[in-house]
């Protein structure tokens, strides 16, 4: 009787707040909080749609796509190069839902602008991801080494970081873009990543300075655990949230950085193209043929905005202060 009576007593602390506490692992809580973030889900869907559309339409790396035109083929101008895309159904007074021969229109020499925009999106996304991966790797390594080992090594690494931070990123990137713009998206992204890691390294250093003084690190050090094992098995897993969020936001910044460089003529060079280069090339046509300006601009906004939404969702999901999840 006593056991049954105790089992039937409700948890007043939980019921008083209208909340049931459920035991979940850290990974389960992170996933649950992320998938409840509506803006992050919308950003993930939008970004996934852009990636699938860009890489499946005209093909990539020798793999053919479903679109029958390329970004290099010229042709006769049809209807003054105006877009044939129609999104208004006939019952609403439109021409119906269809892509047409040139959904985004044509440029000055008759190249299909849909193919051009998709190629530009491919290059911009590729550069952004390479920059994000390279900058995250070097920023994490430099920050982790400086934060854990301290001493002269930390002083040298942090002074190098301070020097990199004091120089405007756009100036460094412009020099790199000028030298590497002809080498392709992968090489350009690699070198841009090598000059955009300092901010993340300072964040990781701060995390390591805090975590290296925790009891579990002191205990591991006391039993003779090697520094490499302490870094990779004890400290680094506790900084995954900061690393992932910073990498996500770094990718969004890389999209805008690449677009700015290409707009200035310092990024991807012809005959290849990128979204920023398309905007730069046709900015004078904004009044006469605005679609040549707006289509790449809309894709830049869609990519950067969706990645920022994903980053916001990851930041909230990894927030250690959010320890409760409603049932």
């Amino acid at each position: 009787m006593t056991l049954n009576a105790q089992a039937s007593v409700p948890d007043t602390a939980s019921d008083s707040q209208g909340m049931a506490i459920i035991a979940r692992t850290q990974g389960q809580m992170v996933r649950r909080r992320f998938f409840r973030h509506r803006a992050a889900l919308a950003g993930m869907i939008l970004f996934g749609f852009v990636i699938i559309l860009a890489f499946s339409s005209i093909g990539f790396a020798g793999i053919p796509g479903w679109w029958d035109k390329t970004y290099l083929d010229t042709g006769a101008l049809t209807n003054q190069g105006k877009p044939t895309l129609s999104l208004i159904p006939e019952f609403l007074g439109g021409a119906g839902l269809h892509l047409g021969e040139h959904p985004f229109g044509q440029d000055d020499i008759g190249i299909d602008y849909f193919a051009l925009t998709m190629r530009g999106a491919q290059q911009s996304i590729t550069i952004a991801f390479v920059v994000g991966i390279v900058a995250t790797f070097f920023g994490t390594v430099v920050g982790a080494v400086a934060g854990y080992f301290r001493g002269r090594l930390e002083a040298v690494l942090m002074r190098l970081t301070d020097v990199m931070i004091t120089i405007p990123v756009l100036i460094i990137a412009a020099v790199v873009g000028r030298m590497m713009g002809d080498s392709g998206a992968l090489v350009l992204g690699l070198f841009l990543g090598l000059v955009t890691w300092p901010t993340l390294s300072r964040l990781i250093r701060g995390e390591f300075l805090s975590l290296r003084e925790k009891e579990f690190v002191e205990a591991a050090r006391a039993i003779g655990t090697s520094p490499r094992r302490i870094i990779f098995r004890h400290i680094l897993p506790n900084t995954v949230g900061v690393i992932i969020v910073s990498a996500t936001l770094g990718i969004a910044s890389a999209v805008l950085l690449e677009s700015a460089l290409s707009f200035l003529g310092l990024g991807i060079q012809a005959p290849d193209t990128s979204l920023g280069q398309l905007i730069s090339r046709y900015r004078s046509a904004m009044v006469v043929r605005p679609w040549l300006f707006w289509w790449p601009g809309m894709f830049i906004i869609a990519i950067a905005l969706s990645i920022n939404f994903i980053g916001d969702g990851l930041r909230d999901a990894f927030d250690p202060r959010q320890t409760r999840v409603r049932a």
Side-chain angles (χ1 to χ4, degrees):
M1 284 297 291
T2 305
L3 292 176
N4 293 334
Q6 290 178 350
S8 62
V9 176
D11 187 349
T12 57
S14 298
D15 292 347
S16 63
Q17 298 179 5
M19 180 182 294
I21 307 302
I22 299 176
R24 292 188 175 92
T25 64
Q26 181 66 23
Q28 289 175 329
M29 290 192 294
V30 168
R31 287 193 298 270
R32 190 175 178 86
R33 288 196 291 262
F34 178 79
F35 285 112
R36 289 192 170 193
H37 197 291
R38 295 181 180 178
L41 284 180
M44 188 167 61
I45 293 171
L46 177 59
F47 189 52
F49 172 76
V50 171
I51 290 179
I52 293 173
L53 181 65
F55 286 88
S56 69
S57 57
I58 62 172
F60 184 74
I63 302 175
W66 49 265
W67 191 243
D68 60 349
K69 300 175 182 63
T70 73
Y71 66 96
L72 296 173
D73 296 336
T74 61
L77 287 177
T78 303
N79 192 25
Q80 298 179 343
K82 294 181 180 179
T84 59
L85 176 66
S86 176
L87 299 176
I88 303 177
E90 294 181 358
F91 65 87
L92 294 178
L97 300 174
H98 62 84
L99 292 176
E101 187 70 15
H102 303 285
F104 288 7
Q106 295 171 278
D107 70 354
D108 298 332
I109 56 177
I111 298 178
D112 180 65
Y113 208 61
F114 175 79
L116 266 177
T117 305
M118 293 304 101
R119 178 59 179 177
Q122 286 182 1
Q123 295 295 78
S124 297
I125 292 172
T126 300
I127 291 174
F129 270 97
V130 173
V131 171
I133 293 171
V134 173
T136 299
F137 174 78
F138 281 95
T140 301
V141 170
V142 172
V145 171
Y148 182 81
F149 291 104
R150 306 294 303 274
R152 292 184 178 180
L153 184 59
E154 179 193 23
V156 172
L157 292 176
M158 285 301 100
R159 296 301 76 76
L160 174 62
T161 302
D162 292 339
V163 171
M164 296 287 291
I165 289 178
T166 56
I167 303 175
V169 174
L170 189 59
I171 294 179
I172 303 178
V175 175
V176 172
R178 186 68 176 179
M179 296 186 300
M180 301 297 169
D182 293 328
S183 303
L186 291 177
V187 177
L188 179 60
L190 173 63
F191 278 87
L192 288 179
L194 292 174
V195 299
T196 55
W197 54 263
T199 301
L200 176 59
S201 70
R202 295 185 70 88
L203 289 174
I204 299 301
R205 171 180 171 268
E207 291 291 319
F208 266 71
L209 287 176
S210 174
L211 291 171
R212 74 188 299 273
E213 306 300 333
K214 298 294 183 181
E215 290 81 0
F216 66 92
V217 175
E218 292 291 342
R221 194 181 292 118
I223 62 176
T225 306
S226 65
R228 183 178 64 84
R229 185 176 179 84
I230 292 176
I231 291 174
F232 286 100
R233 294 296 299 273
H234 297 284
I235 301 181
L236 197 59
N238 289 283
T239 65
V240 168
V242 175
I243 294 173
I244 292 177
V245 172
S246 299
T248 306
L249 299 179
I251 292 173
S253 299
V255 172
L256 301 178
L257 177 61
E258 185 280 326
S259 299
L261 289 178
S262 296
F263 182 82
L264 297 173
L266 302 174
I268 297 296
Q269 302 296 316
D272 213 334
T273 189
S274 69
L275 295 177
Q277 188 193 83
L278 290 176
I279 291 179
S280 175
R281 188 188 307 172
Y282 298 111
R283 64 183 183 273
S284 60
M286 185 175 178
V287 177
V288 182
R289 291 177 297 167
W291 59 87
L292 298 178
F293 183 87
W294 285 113
W295 284 120
M298 289 171 60
F299 271 83
I300 290 175
I301 293 173
I303 294 171
L305 197 62
S306 60
I307 297 177
N308 275 320
F309 282 157
I310 295 172
D312 288 341
L314 289 172
R315 181 188 59 201
D316 293 345
F318 280 103
D319 188 351
R321 293 170 296 182
Q322 299 188 35
T323 57
R324 287 187 170 188
V325 180
R326 291 186 183 275

